[in-house]
Amino acid sequence: MSVGEARPHEAAALHVTGRALYTDDLALRAPGVLHAHPVQAPHAHARITRLDPLPAYAIPGVVRVLTAADVPGANDSGTKHDEPLFPDEVMFHGQSVAWVLGETLEAARLGAAAVDVGYEPLPSLVTIADAVDADSFQGARPTMVRGDVEAGFAASARVFEGVTSFAGQEHFYLETHASFAQVDDDGQVNVSSSTQHPTETQEIVAHVLGLASHQVTVQCVRMGGGFGGKEMQPHGYAAVAALGATLTGRPVRVRLTRQQDMTMSGKRHGFHATWKVGFDDDGRLQALEATLTSDGGWSLDLSEPVLSRALCHVDNAYWIPHVRVAGRIARTHTTSQTAFRGFGGPQGMLVIEDVLGRCAPVLGLAPEELRRRNFYVEGQATPYGQPVRHPERLDRAWQQVLDTGEYAVRRKEIERHNAGDPHRKRGLAITPVKFGISFNFTSFNQAGALVHVYKDGSVLINHGGTEMGQGLHTKMLQVAATALGLPIERVRLAPTRTDKVPNTSATAASSGADLNGAAVKDACAQILARIVPVRARLGTDAPWEDVVRAAYLDRIQLWAAGFYRTEGLSWDATTMTGTPFKYFAYGVAAAEVEVDGFTGAYEVRRVDIVHDVGDSLSPLVDLGQIEGGFVQGVGWLTLEDLRWDDSEGPHRGRLATQSASTYKLPSLSELPADLRVALLERATEDGVVYGSKAVGEPPLMLAFSVREALRDAVGAFGTPGTSVELASPATPEAVWWAIESVRR
Ligand code: MTE
Ligand code: MOS
């Protein structure tokens, strides 16, 4: 049995020894490869009045300047037709307006600096507030409604109103955006791309080049992290490489420097939310009315589905009888914000967790009591109408964290500590996660696989999902080995390619293993079914190799294409109702922190997590996903401080945090001193491959426990019953300001 075994990541040894090949490693092995460098605009918003490539050609080693005039197909790098690959109007500071190909990267860089571009600066909108004032929005404006909020407020004993705004997040995958293109003798375009969505990269490359999809093949060997940032954003870079290769006949590589990546690519959406909430005498939520405004940046990209998921997660784990939540997407002159682990879910959930964290002291309830009291119970449905299945799992995880985390004992210890120390206060908090699994857009919930059994009995599998470090390939090997009843060493996996499995969905929404795993299993089952007569003839004890050999001689097809579609899903994007999710993933975390009253600096002392992954396909991989997701969430909520220059000065709109020196990421020193993760037991999920649940995104939201623990510690500097407002990210500086305000 291979599924459920604790195995290291299939490429762990390659990763840590540096032998793993990434897209740009392939490029550097190609003789005669040309290097691409962008010409980045120095304005947040400007009309391009002149673009003269001639001076670049004076630089030795410059081979070709790519401009709009070179595009044989559509000058468009997105799926919404609002993202010109070569713009005539600059929409954000750092946008590429042309690309230069050189014999060396240095030649390309000098060439890019020499391209003569004239700009006529235009007024720009840098913040959500700027966009709201200017009535600058894009895309749909959905509203999710259940019940009657007015009646809910009328029946509420307490009603509160507030504003919650919070920042986005830079993906900071270790491997920046990379693409490498080659054209063969017949004009067939082959692109290697660091992309979570090879099919869509293929489609964009095809439409830019004016080709059909069968003339373009996209491969993704692996990514050095994607985190959602490579779901939609790689397409333009792939198109630049493919266009360059087509025009020059030479291989072309595009690989962004960190600074280019940070200034050009989209990030997690920051949000601004206004809310009004009603509770009854017992602290039970009665009504929630809110308006969520996301910062979409300059183009739509994935902002609409991200907003939908935000609306679908404002309830988090809580039953709210009357709900009216409106969403809208600000259009600003910044990078085009995109998918990022959780895909809007974290943003929606942050709103309700902030509401509960702020209201608890005023309601006279411990925050954990307020949260627990409002949990869904069996028979209740989400605001969009999907029944909440297995809510008792959340109770179980919650209780386990309280018990094994010795919550009550530590609460007492902390009170004792805080009473004795005026300058350093400790805080403790426990928070739940309920996260819907499946793409909201029902059609995306399909996957394919290709399984080959060779005459010697060895097996090669291919599936539509991409590997970005999350261990999908490891899980797929385990699924195939289990389905075929073979040792895992007999199975190998080939890189993801659009000519192997077509029409794939992005590897996203945490559904990679659910969808592709079921497709791999389906292909294996087809092959096994075909060889049943051979097995019957040779006896059940016959070695696999003998059965395969005999099956081949009998002219039995030893390979199969598998397919899977998730049944039972529905979603109406206009009414915002349906059953968009196959199931919910649950988790609970408790965090303890200590805050210094002089500086606002803090440390996370201990974290206890119980997370529901169903029957784990691969427990070590899942553990890594939980730890990694949690820490990435802690980074978003407490450290990573994304800033654009919003002054009226000459650098207006410029990303101020464009490298690791100014953008603080969580590192080893920010890990909780004591981090304990357990998988929820007795958690088989029926109807999913081997009873497993998705794990990629949900654990990120366990990090709310840290934010709420910081709030608790800040509160200890003031008088009990004070509502604590905490900025997000809750950097030491923000924590210090929060302490200042509760002291007053
Ligand atoms: N883990 C690693 N190591 N690197 C990543 O880029 N991406 C996350 C998550 N875990 C990511 C990761 C995101 S955003 C998603 S949607 C899922 O993995 C995608 O993979 P899955 O569907 O196979 O879980
Ligand atoms: Mo993940 S944000 O769905 O790529």
Side-chain angles (χ1 to χ4, degrees):
M1 191 68 176
S2 182
V3 153
E5 246 172 50
R7 308 184 58 88
H9 189 284
E10 130 276 345
L14 300 181
H15 293 159
V16 298
T17 56
R19 282 183 297 140
L21 295 180
Y22 295 83
T23 296
D24 200 47
D25 298 312
L26 304 181
L28 293 172
R29 291 176 162 201
V33 67
L34 292 175
H35 309 256
H37 199 285
V39 178
Q40 291 186 265
H43 300 282
H45 190 199
R47 193 166 298 115
I48 297 177
T49 53
R50 175 179 78 249
L51 201 159
D52 180 7
L54 266 184
Y57 286 106
I59 307 286
V62 167
V63 174
R64 181 83 199 223
V65 179
L66 305 178
T67 68
D70 296 311
V71 176
N75 178 17
D76 174 44
S77 60
T79 57
K80 296 281 180 183
H81 311 295
D82 62 350
E83 292 184 47
L85 185 60
F86 300 99
D88 49 27
E89 181 180 340
V90 174
M91 293 297 283
F92 67 97
H93 198 291
Q95 184 172 15
S96 56
V97 298
W99 287 78
V100 177
L101 307 181
E103 296 288 354
T104 62
L105 187 57
E106 184 60 3
R109 187 182 72 80
L110 294 171
V115 172
D116 179 22
V117 192
Y119 299 99
E120 179 195 330
L122 299 168
S124 59
L125 310 168
V126 176
T127 63
I128 293 181
D130 291 346
V132 170
D133 288 346
D135 201 30
S136 168
F137 298 100
Q138 54 188 334
R141 288 197 187 195
T143 305
M144 177 174 287
V145 184
R146 170 172 61 197
D148 176 350
V149 280
E150 300 313 331
F153 289 129
S156 295
R158 306 289 301 270
V159 175
F160 304 96
E161 288 182 65
V163 172
T164 301
S165 55
F166 47 90
Q169 186 179 20
E170 164 62 40
H171 298 87
F172 222 105
Y173 22 61
L174 286 179
E175 180 207 25
T176 54
H177 277 289
S179 275
F180 165 54
Q182 282 172 299
V183 181
D184 76 8
D185 54 4
D186 197 26
Q188 177 79 20
V189 179
N190 292 301
V191 181
S192 274
S193 170
S194 186
T195 176
Q196 288 174 245
H197 201 169
T199 287
E200 205 168 77
T201 302
Q202 174 195 27
E203 287 164 358
I204 301 289
V205 168
H207 92 211
V208 169
L209 296 182
L211 299 176
S213 287
H214 69 186
Q215 292 168 288
V216 178
T217 301
V218 173
Q219 148 177 296
C220 176
V221 272
R222 58 163 60 80
M223 281 164 277
F227 305 114
K230 294 173 182 170
E231 221 183 298
M232 182 81 81
Q233 305 260 323
H235 311 330
Y237 309 116
V240 166
L243 177 63
T246 307
L247 293 176
T248 62
R250 290 172 62 178
V252 174
R253 74 181 267 254
V254 173
R255 204 224 66 182
L256 302 185
T257 63
R258 179 63 61 187
Q259 197 175 17
Q260 287 163 355
D261 196 293
M262 290 182 81
T263 53
M264 290 163 72
S265 71
K267 311 176 190 321
R268 183 190 292 286
H269 295 72
F271 273 60
H272 174 276
T274 55
W275 47 263
K276 181 176 173 188
V277 64
F279 297 91
D280 71 7
D281 280 325
D282 296 326
R284 292 206 159 75
L285 284 159
Q286 297 302 305
L288 174 71
E289 184 169 29
T291 298
L292 272 51
T293 309
S294 72
D295 179 358
W298 73 280
S299 71
L300 263 182
D301 189 276
L302 288 161
S303 296
E304 287 176 308
V306 164
L307 182 65
S308 295
R309 188 166 275 268
L311 296 193
C312 286
H313 285 79
V314 272
D315 58 331
N316 190 12
Y318 313 110
W319 162 248
I320 316 170
H322 303 285
V323 178
R324 184 164 70 223
V325 184
R328 52 188 187 168
I329 302 161
R331 189 169 199 219
T332 58
H333 297 102
T334 60
T335 54
S336 182
Q337 309 338 337
T338 191
F340 194 141
R341 209 170 193 168
F343 203 84
Q347 289 96 320
M349 284 157 63
L350 177 51
V351 174
I352 191 72
E353 292 302 335
D354 196 53
V355 167
L356 295 178
R358 278 158 72 171
C359 293
V362 198
L363 289 167
L365 288 171
E368 57 267 27
E369 177 55 30
L370 179 62
R371 291 194 162 89
R372 178 69 192 80
R373 226 172 250 192
N374 283 290
F375 275 11
Y376 278 112
V377 297
E378 189 68 48
Q380 292 175 334
T382 62
Y384 45 92
Q386 170 156 2
V388 178
R389 204 154 66 98
H390 292 155
E392 74 286 353
R393 286 196 185 183
L394 199 53
D395 299 329
R396 201 142 59 78
W398 185 266
Q399 197 55 49
Q400 190 176 331
V401 168
L402 290 178
D403 293 345
T404 60
E406 303 163 299
Y407 197 87
V409 176
R410 282 197 289 147
R411 173 60 79 196
K412 289 237 156 52
E413 273 172 24
I414 287 171
E415 277 165 14
R416 211 173 311 125
H417 171 273
N418 287 351
D421 191 337
H423 304 307
R424 293 183 72 86
K425 301 290 186 189
R426 292 184 185 164
L428 184 64
I430 176 169
T431 57
V433 171
K434 167 184 130 287
F435 190 80
I437 300 298
S438 296
F439 291 93
N440 268 64
F441 182 58
T442 302
S443 301
F444 286 162
N445 297 289
Q446 56 172 308
L450 192 57
V451 173
H452 294 175
V453 175
Y454 290 100
K455 280 185 278 183
D456 66 354
S458 64
V459 180
L460 187 70
I461 64 172
N462 204 282
H463 62 89
T466 55
E467 176 63 40
M468 58 195 100
Q470 86 278 37
L472 178 61
H473 286 353
T474 311
K475 291 181 172 180
M476 297 304 95
L477 288 169
Q478 288 178 276
V479 165
T482 306
L484 295 171
L486 295 175
I488 199 161
E489 294 70 28
R490 294 299 278 156
V491 187
R492 270 183 65 85
L493 193 145
T496 316
R497 287 175 64 111
T498 56
D499 57 358
K500 295 272 184 58
V501 179
N503 308 337
T504 55
S505 298
T507 306
S510 304
S511 59
D514 286 11
L515 299 175
N516 295 288
V520 167
K521 193 162 176 251
D522 173 48
C524 294
Q526 292 175 41
I527 295 167
L528 287 180
R530 290 188 208 131
I531 60 178
V532 166
V534 184
R535 261 202 206 286
R537 198 173 72 229
L538 298 190
T540 40
D541 290 344
W544 164 256
E545 287 72 17
D546 295 356
V547 175
V548 167
R549 183 87 206 155
Y552 167 75
L553 293 173
D554 280 1
R555 294 180 291 171
I556 290 173
Q557 186 187 345
L558 285 171
W559 74 95
F563 185 74
Y564 176 74
R565 43 173 284 170
T566 316
E567 296 298 338
L569 303 180
S570 65
W571 180 243
D572 182 337
T574 47
T575 60
M576 297 292 283
T577 55
T579 300
F581 305 124
K582 171 88 174 144
Y583 56 84
F584 295 101
Y586 297 107
V588 173
E592 181 180 334
V593 301
E594 183 171 311
V595 173
D596 179 293
F598 292 114
T599 61
Y602 49 80
E603 61 183 292
V604 182
R605 289 165 50 82
R606 175 171 167 183
V607 172
D608 291 80
I609 290 171
V610 174
H611 196 79
D612 168 23
V613 297
D615 289 341
S616 176
L617 287 176
S618 199
L620 260 188
V621 165
D622 285 351
L623 196 65
Q625 285 293 293
I626 295 167
E627 292 174 347
F630 169 77
V631 171
Q632 197 165 37
V634 172
W636 171 49
L637 293 170
T638 69
L639 288 172
E640 301 179 36
D641 202 353
L642 203 55
R643 304 243 182 145
W644 276 272
D645 185 339
D646 58 3
S647 75
E648 295 297 332
H651 301 301
R652 180 171 169 78
R654 176 180 174 273
L655 182 66
T657 47
Q658 39 179 278
S659 74
S661 60
T662 44
Y663 188 78
K664 177 82 182 94
L665 291 162
S667 61
L668 205 58
S669 49
E670 277 78 29
L671 257 189
D674 187 352
L675 174 59
R676 309 182 191 195
V677 180
L679 304 181
L680 186 71
E681 284 168 11
R682 290 172 278 114
T684 310
E685 181 69 25
D686 44 62
V688 193
V689 63
Y690 294 113
S692 67
K693 273 191 180 182
V695 68
E697 297 165 288
L700 182 127
M701 289 149 272
L702 296 168
F704 290 130
S705 59
V706 174
R707 183 166 190 268
E708 293 307 308
L710 287 170
R711 193 197 304 277
D712 189 49
V714 169
F717 285 96
T719 37
T722 312
S723 174
V724 177
E725 287 188 33
L726 194 56
S728 189
T731 57
E733 183 184 337
V735 167
W736 188 83
W737 283 112
I739 295 171
E740 274 298 287
S741 85
V742 300
R743 274 179 177 149
R744 252 183 259 122

